Amino acid sequence: MWVESIAVALGAIGGLEAFKYFFNRRANSRIAIAEAESKEFHTLQETNEWLQKQLQLKEERFAEQTQLVRKQNTEILELTRRIAEKDILHAQAVAELKIELAEVRCDDKPCPFREPPTSKTPPRGGLTKEEYHKKNDKKII
């Protein structure tokens, strides 16, 4: 009767399968942990690959943008250089015109050809500039 009660009790709790469960529970636990860690590692590996691809794409876009900025900076510097050259040429032309004006300008206050005219500048009176200066040069001598 004693053996029968043990057999009935074992049958009630699952029989041979219950015995296998209690005997292999540590091994099964390690297998489950290993499978979970394997899945977690696989997920981390996929995430790492995705992040590396994103980083590579960003680096490529950054390199393109850097190249574009360098090209634009080169163009800006070239345009600035051209503008500076034009400004220098313009300043030289203005200086030459000022020198020419200083050489040609009549500083005599009574001169009818004085530029800019003053309140003391008389009307020209039908004379050309050369005739006026020839007439005044003879008076001085």
Side-chain angles (χ1 to χ4, degrees), residues 61-120:
R61 285 195 308 264
F62 181 75
E64 290 173 2
Q65 290 173 351
T66 303
Q67 190 175 18
L68 179 64
V69 167
R70 286 182 180 160
K71 181 181 175 187
Q72 288 176 345
N73 283 342
T74 304
E75 291 174 1
I76 288 170
L77 289 173
E78 180 65 24
L79 290 174
T80 304
R81 185 186 59 78
R82 288 182 186 170
I83 289 171
E85 287 175 358
K86 286 182 181 179
D87 286 347
I88 289 171
L89 292 175
H90 178 71
Q92 286 175 346
V94 168
E96 289 173 1
L97 288 174
K98 285 182 179 180
I99 290 171
E100 183 180 329
L101 178 63
E103 290 173 352
V104 174
R105 186 169 83 182
C106 182
D107 287 330
D108 284 342
K109 290 187 180 183
C111 178
F113 299 99
R114 178 173 166 77
E115 291 294 331
T118 64
S119 61
K120 296 181 181 180

Side-chain angles (χ1 to χ4, degrees), residues 30-59:
R30 286 191 299 256
I31 290 171
I33 290 172
E35 287 177 358
E37 288 177 351
S38 173
K39 288 181 181 179
E40 183 180 355
F41 177 76
H42 182 69
T43 303
L44 289 173
Q45 191 175 19
E46 287 178 350
T47 304
N48 188 20
E49 289 173 2
W50 182 80
L51 289 172
Q52 285 178 350
K53 287 179 184 177
Q54 293 299 316
L55 180 63
Q56 184 178 3
L57 291 173
K58 282 187 177 184
E59 286 177 352

